[in-house]
């Protein structure tokens, strides 16, 4: 099973509001394309993209996972920003796993990229990607592993 790389993504809206959904999807796609230096280089590299909103990685990433796989996200893969440190300090009694479920913890989008295509992906994006974890056999669940 290939490991994955993360950064920016978007997901298709399932809203029944027709034109508004298409407009929102267009905005999301336009934002994603701004991150990519060369869409032609990346279109055959990215297997899935998830926009990380309320619910964090654990509730948004499963929407793009193919059948038969889980995602293992390493909590130590990216630095927690100062705002999230403050929230963690003020939210006494809330553990790191719950903070990651409730918030995006600084991850706005996640792209699933085959391990054999990471270099092409890194060359095609304008922002510095962070390797968050990998895809493993499973049932569509996101597992947050390790310590932040």
């Amino acid at each position: 099973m290939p490991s994955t790389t993360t950064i920016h993504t978007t997901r298709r809206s399932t809203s029944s509001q027709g034109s508004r959904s298409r407009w929102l999807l267009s905005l999301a796609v336009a934002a994603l394309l701004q991150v990519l230096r060369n869409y032609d280089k990346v279109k055959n590299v990215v297997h899935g993209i998830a926009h990380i909103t309320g619910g964090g990685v654990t509730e948004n990433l499963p929407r793009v996972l193919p059948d038969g796989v889980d995602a293992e996200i390493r909590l130590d893969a990216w630095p927690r920003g100062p705002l999230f440190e403050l929230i963690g300090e003020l939210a006494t009694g809330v553990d790191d796993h719950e903070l990651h479920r409730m918030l995006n913890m600084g991850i706005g989008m996640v792209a699933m990229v085959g391990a054999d295509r990471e270099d092409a992906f890194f060359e095609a994006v304008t922002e510095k990607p962070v390797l968050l974890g990998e895809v493993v056999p499973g049932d569509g669940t996101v597992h947050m592993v390790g310590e932040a």
Side-chain angles (χ1 to χ4, degrees), residues 17-128:
Q17 295 178 338
S19 63
R20 181 170 185 265
S21 296
R22 286 190 295 279
W23 179 76
L24 290 172
L25 177 61
S26 295
L27 284 178
V29 169
L32 174 62
L33 291 176
Q34 286 180 0
V35 175
L36 303 174
R37 284 193 297 262
N38 186 337
Y39 174 72
D40 289 335
K41 283 185 179 179
V42 81
K43 70 181 177 184
N44 296 319
V45 173
V46 175
H47 297 291
I49 295 176
H51 183 204
I52 308 305
T53 59
V57 173
T58 58
E59 292 182 15
N60 289 282
L61 188 54
R63 295 177 181 147
V64 297
L65 289 176
D67 291 339
V69 299
D70 285 356
E72 287 188 351
I73 305 297
R74 293 187 339 266
L75 292 175
D76 63 351
W78 72 99
R80 183 189 280 189
L83 175 61
F84 298 110
E85 287 289 337
L86 178 62
I87 292 170
E89 290 173 19
L90 295 176
T92 57
V94 179
D95 66 23
D96 277 344
H97 289 276
E98 182 64 9
L99 285 173
H100 282 83
R101 190 195 65 75
M102 294 185 319
L103 307 170
N104 70 10
M105 301 305 282
I107 301 298
M109 292 193 169
V110 174
M112 296 187 304
V113 177
D116 60 335
R117 300 306 201 96
E118 285 181 13
D119 290 341
F121 180 74
F122 289 166
E123 290 173 15
V125 297
T126 58
E127 297 193 19
K128 186 178 183 212

